[in-house]
PDB file of all heavy atoms in Angstrom:
ATOM      1  N   GLU A 206     154.942  26.195 -30.789  1.00  0.00           N
ATOM      2  CA  GLU A 206     154.480  25.691 -32.073  1.00  0.00           C
ATOM      3  C   GLU A 206     154.584  26.836 -33.064  1.00  0.00           C
ATOM      4  O   GLU A 206     154.082  27.925 -32.793  1.00  0.00           O
ATOM      5  CB  GLU A 206     153.023  25.255 -31.909  1.00  0.00           C
ATOM      6  CG  GLU A 206     152.560  24.276 -32.931  1.00  0.00           C
ATOM      7  CD  GLU A 206     151.138  23.785 -32.639  1.00  0.00           C
ATOM      8  OE1 GLU A 206     150.671  23.875 -31.483  1.00  0.00           O
ATOM      9  OE2 GLU A 206     150.504  23.349 -33.584  1.00  0.00           O
ATOM     10  N   SER A 207     155.251  26.617 -34.182  1.00  0.00           N
ATOM     11  CA  SER A 207     155.339  27.720 -35.133  1.00  0.00           C
ATOM     12  C   SER A 207     155.055  27.252 -36.554  1.00  0.00           C
ATOM     13  O   SER A 207     155.385  26.133 -36.935  1.00  0.00           O
ATOM     14  CB  SER A 207     156.695  28.421 -35.036  1.00  0.00           C
ATOM     15  OG  SER A 207     157.727  27.616 -35.526  1.00  0.00           O
ATOM     16  N   TYR A 208     154.411  28.113 -37.290  1.00  0.00           N
ATOM     17  CA  TYR A 208     154.021  27.840 -38.678  1.00  0.00           C
ATOM     18  C   TYR A 208     154.656  28.882 -39.571  1.00  0.00           C
ATOM     19  O   TYR A 208     154.488  30.074 -39.351  1.00  0.00           O
ATOM     20  CB  TYR A 208     152.504  27.910 -38.839  1.00  0.00           C
ATOM     21  CG  TYR A 208     151.764  26.791 -38.154  1.00  0.00           C
ATOM     22  CD1 TYR A 208     151.498  26.838 -36.791  1.00  0.00           C
ATOM     23  CD2 TYR A 208     151.334  25.681 -38.872  1.00  0.00           C
ATOM     24  CE1 TYR A 208     150.828  25.799 -36.157  1.00  0.00           C
ATOM     25  CE2 TYR A 208     150.665  24.637 -38.251  1.00  0.00           C
ATOM     26  CZ  TYR A 208     150.410  24.707 -36.888  1.00  0.00           C
ATOM     27  OH  TYR A 208     149.744  23.678 -36.274  1.00  0.00           O
ATOM     28  N   HIS A 209     155.398  28.433 -40.571  1.00  0.00           N
ATOM     29  CA  HIS A 209     156.061  29.373 -41.474  1.00  0.00           C
ATOM     30  C   HIS A 209     155.913  28.915 -42.915  1.00  0.00           C
ATOM     31  O   HIS A 209     155.722  27.731 -43.181  1.00  0.00           O
ATOM     32  CB  HIS A 209     157.560  29.453 -41.168  1.00  0.00           C
ATOM     33  CG  HIS A 209     157.880  29.630 -39.728  1.00  0.00           C
ATOM     34  ND1 HIS A 209     158.085  30.857 -39.156  1.00  0.00           N
ATOM     35  CD2 HIS A 209     158.007  28.733 -38.724  1.00  0.00           C
ATOM     36  CE1 HIS A 209     158.342  30.706 -37.868  1.00  0.00           C
ATOM     37  NE2 HIS A 209     158.302  29.425 -37.572  1.00  0.00           N
ATOM     38  N   GLN A 210     156.093  29.856 -43.821  1.00  0.00           N
ATOM     39  CA  GLN A 210     156.107  29.510 -45.234  1.00  0.00           C
ATOM     40  C   GLN A 210     157.552  29.315 -45.677  1.00  0.00           C
ATOM     41  O   GLN A 210     158.452  30.014 -45.232  1.00  0.00           O
ATOM     42  CB  GLN A 210     155.474  30.637 -46.041  1.00  0.00           C
ATOM     43  CG  GLN A 210     156.191  31.971 -45.836  1.00  0.00           C
ATOM     44  CD  GLN A 210     155.875  32.965 -46.925  1.00  0.00           C
ATOM     45  OE1 GLN A 210     155.775  32.619 -48.091  1.00  0.00           O
ATOM     46  NE2 GLN A 210     155.728  34.212 -46.526  1.00  0.00           N
ATOM     47  N   LEU A 211     157.737  28.358 -46.557  1.00  0.00           N
ATOM     48  CA  LEU A 211     159.060  28.184 -47.152  1.00  0.00           C
ATOM     49  C   LEU A 211     159.170  28.979 -48.437  1.00  0.00           C
ATOM     50  O   LEU A 211     160.167  29.620 -48.698  1.00  0.00           O
ATOM     51  CB  LEU A 211     159.304  26.706 -47.464  1.00  0.00           C
ATOM     52  CG  LEU A 211     159.918  25.850 -46.373  1.00  0.00           C
ATOM     53  CD1 LEU A 211     159.972  24.415 -46.834  1.00  0.00           C
ATOM     54  CD2 LEU A 211     161.308  26.361 -46.021  1.00  0.00           C
ATOM     55  N   ALA A 212     158.123  28.914 -49.256  1.00  0.00           N
ATOM     56  CA  ALA A 212     158.208  29.575 -50.557  1.00  0.00           C
ATOM     57  C   ALA A 212     156.869  30.131 -51.010  1.00  0.00           C
ATOM     58  O   ALA A 212     156.631  30.255 -52.199  1.00  0.00           O
ATOM     59  CB  ALA A 212     158.753  28.592 -51.585  1.00  0.00           C
ATOM     60  N   GLY A 213     156.014  30.455 -50.070  1.00  0.00           N
ATOM     61  CA  GLY A 213     154.746  31.080 -50.435  1.00  0.00           C
ATOM     62  C   GLY A 213     153.794  30.117 -51.124  1.00  0.00           C
ATOM     63  O   GLY A 213     153.838  28.914 -50.924  1.00  0.00           O
ATOM     64  N   GLY A 214     152.929  30.687 -51.953  1.00  0.00           N
ATOM     65  CA  GLY A 214     151.919  29.872 -52.606  1.00  0.00           C
ATOM     66  C   GLY A 214     150.717  29.716 -51.706  1.00  0.00           C
ATOM     67  O   GLY A 214     150.689  30.199 -50.578  1.00  0.00           O
ATOM     68  N   SER A 215     149.728  29.033 -52.223  1.00  0.00           N
ATOM     69  CA  SER A 215     148.501  28.859 -51.480  1.00  0.00           C
ATOM     70  C   SER A 215     148.456  27.476 -50.869  1.00  0.00           C
ATOM     71  O   SER A 215     148.801  26.488 -51.513  1.00  0.00           O
ATOM     72  CB  SER A 215     147.309  29.056 -52.420  1.00  0.00           C
ATOM     73  OG  SER A 215     146.121  28.953 -51.677  1.00  0.00           O
ATOM     74  N   TYR A 216     148.054  27.409 -49.632  1.00  0.00           N
ATOM     75  CA  TYR A 216     147.868  26.116 -48.973  1.00  0.00           C
ATOM     76  C   TYR A 216     146.920  26.312 -47.802  1.00  0.00           C
ATOM     77  O   TYR A 216     146.595  27.451 -47.439  1.00  0.00           O
ATOM     78  CB  TYR A 216     149.208  25.517 -48.521  1.00  0.00           C
ATOM     79  CG  TYR A 216     150.037  26.422 -47.646  1.00  0.00           C
ATOM     80  CD1 TYR A 216     149.905  26.395 -46.263  1.00  0.00           C
ATOM     81  CD2 TYR A 216     150.963  27.308 -48.198  1.00  0.00           C
ATOM     82  CE1 TYR A 216     150.671  27.221 -45.450  1.00  0.00           C
ATOM     83  CE2 TYR A 216     151.720  28.147 -47.388  1.00  0.00           C
ATOM     84  CZ  TYR A 216     151.576  28.087 -46.021  1.00  0.00           C
ATOM     85  OH  TYR A 216     152.308  28.919 -45.221  1.00  0.00           O
ATOM     86  N   PHE A 217     146.474  25.213 -47.245  1.00  0.00           N
ATOM     87  CA  PHE A 217     145.490  25.289 -46.169  1.00  0.00           C
ATOM     88  C   PHE A 217     145.890  24.342 -45.043  1.00  0.00           C
ATOM     89  O   PHE A 217     145.849  23.122 -45.212  1.00  0.00           O
ATOM     90  CB  PHE A 217     144.108  24.928 -46.740  1.00  0.00           C
ATOM     91  CG  PHE A 217     143.021  24.782 -45.702  1.00  0.00           C
ATOM     92  CD1 PHE A 217     142.980  25.594 -44.561  1.00  0.00           C
ATOM     93  CD2 PHE A 217     142.012  23.832 -45.866  1.00  0.00           C
ATOM     94  CE1 PHE A 217     141.975  25.456 -43.607  1.00  0.00           C
ATOM     95  CE2 PHE A 217     140.994  23.693 -44.916  1.00  0.00           C
ATOM     96  CZ  PHE A 217     140.992  24.505 -43.782  1.00  0.00           C
ATOM     97  N   ASN A 218     146.312  24.924 -43.924  1.00  0.00           N
ATOM     98  CA  ASN A 218     146.621  24.120 -42.750  1.00  0.00           C
ATOM     99  C   ASN A 218     145.424  24.134 -41.816  1.00  0.00           C
ATOM    100  O   ASN A 218     144.985  25.192 -41.372  1.00  0.00           O
ATOM    101  CB  ASN A 218     147.846  24.681 -42.013  1.00  0.00           C
ATOM    102  CG  ASN A 218     149.145  24.270 -42.681  1.00  0.00           C
ATOM    103  OD1 ASN A 218     149.232  23.188 -43.261  1.00  0.00           O
ATOM    104  ND2 ASN A 218     150.147  25.131 -42.611  1.00  0.00           N
TER     105      ASN A 218
END
Side-chain angles (χ1 to χ4, degrees):
Chain A
E206 202 175 339
S207 70
Y208 291 81
H209 312 266
Q210 58 162 321
L211 271 175
S215 183
Y216 54 90
F217 172 36
N218 280 328

